[in-house]
Structures are given as C-alpha cells and as structure tokens.
Amino acid sequence: MEFKDTPEPNFFDIGGSGYLENPTSDIMSVFMGLDPNIQPWLLKALLQLFGQDVDNIDFSSLRVQREVACENGERLDIVIIHDDFIIGIENKVYHEVKNPFEIYETCLENLTDNDQNIYKCILKPATNKYPVLCDWKVITYSELVDVALS
C-alpha cells in the first residue's frame, strides 16, 4: 500500500506572509469554505449576522475566492459564491475604508447567475475607528467570533 503525502493546511502556511490584511483574509477564507475539507463555521457565523438561518443550507455549491479582480484591476478581498447567495467581503485591519465600492458592487452583480442574494460587508477589528462612508454592513471581528462561538 502506498501512502500519498497530502499537506495539511495550517495557520503558518495559510497566513505566513504579506501585509496583515492579506494573511488575515487568507485565514478567514479557509474557515469560510476555501478548503472543502474544513467546515465553513466562520461563513455560518457571517450568514447569521446577515439574518440567515444556516441550519438548512447545503454548502456543496460553495466557492470561495481571494483577491477577486474587478474592473480596472481593483481587487475585492474575499468573494463567496453559492447557488443562493454571493458575499463580498472587504477586510480592513488598520487602514481607512477608501475603496471603490461601486466597482465592487458591479463585480458582485456580474457574478450572479441564479438571481442570488448579494451581501456586502466590511470586516474589521473594533479598534479600527476609521469611518465607513458606504452602505456596506460593518462587522467587527469580535461580533463575528461571538456569533461563531455561540
């Protein structure tokens, strides 16, 4: 019998390089469904914060993408595509929230192929006090973790 050495994802491989936002987004995306071998428990918490009942969702159609290119090369940190919904996530650790949200929204709308609900949010630590001047839902890391732990 031959054993195939399959690398196991770990925090150091997933988020070991890059600026703080990139490793944080890399790690979060794994627990939102990027790796099909890991339960999307963080995505379930996020969906609950959007008022969704997650108990009966079939996650088999789930696709998670990082740094999704939009028009003019702008990139959205995390995009989650499902038969029933699409989620756009902009992650802000220390920076101001000065992103081209109109371009992001067009990008998300162009991804719909099944009249999915589109959810948009900015994830950031509570210590990031920069104002948010758009209609995207702001969710702090603490809020997300509290729901995930409940």
Side-chain angles (χ1 to χ4, degrees), residues 25 31 47-48 55 75 98 109 116 123:
S25 294
F31 299 107
L47 286 166
Q48 287 177 307
D55 291 333
R75 295 187 174 274
K98 288 185 172 181
E109 289 168 10
Q116 294 104 319
L123 292 178

Side-chain angles (χ1 to χ4, degrees), residues 27-140:
I27 291 170
M28 284 193 300
S29 65
V30 168
F31 299 107
M32 290 185 175
L34 182 68
D35 186 322
N37 297 312
I38 298 174
Q39 288 293 316
W41 58 270
L42 199 57
L43 171 59
K44 291 178 181 180
L46 183 63
L47 286 166
Q48 287 177 307
L49 286 165
F50 281 115
Q52 298 301 304
D53 178 11
V54 297
D55 291 333
N56 297 314
I57 296 178
D58 175 3
F59 288 99
S60 63
S61 70
L62 190 63
R63 292 186 327 240
V64 178
Q65 299 174 353
R66 283 276 294 117
E67 294 294 326
V68 173
C70 300
E71 170 182 323
N72 297 331
E74 302 292 346
R75 295 187 174 274
L76 187 51
D77 291 332
I78 302 172
V79 174
I80 300 168
I81 302 169
H82 184 275
D83 286 347
D84 298 328
F85 57 82
I86 293 177
I87 303 174
I89 300 169
E90 183 60 26
N91 187 26
K92 288 294 175 192
V93 176
Y94 294 119
H95 285 280
E96 291 180 79
V97 183
K98 288 185 172 181
N99 296 74
F101 290 100
E102 302 83 21
I103 291 173
Y104 293 168
E105 289 175 19
T106 300
C107 181
L108 294 171
E109 289 168 10
N110 289 338
L111 292 171
T112 61
D113 61 1
N114 189 27
D115 201 29
Q116 294 104 319
N117 290 322
I118 296 177
Y119 301 103
K120 307 165 289 192
C121 70
I122 297 166
L123 292 178
K124 65 179 195 163
T127 57
N128 180 335
K129 300 293 186 189
Y130 287 108
V132 175
L133 304 174
C134 69
D135 65 348
W136 286 41
K137 183 176 182 73
V138 176
I139 299 171
T140 66

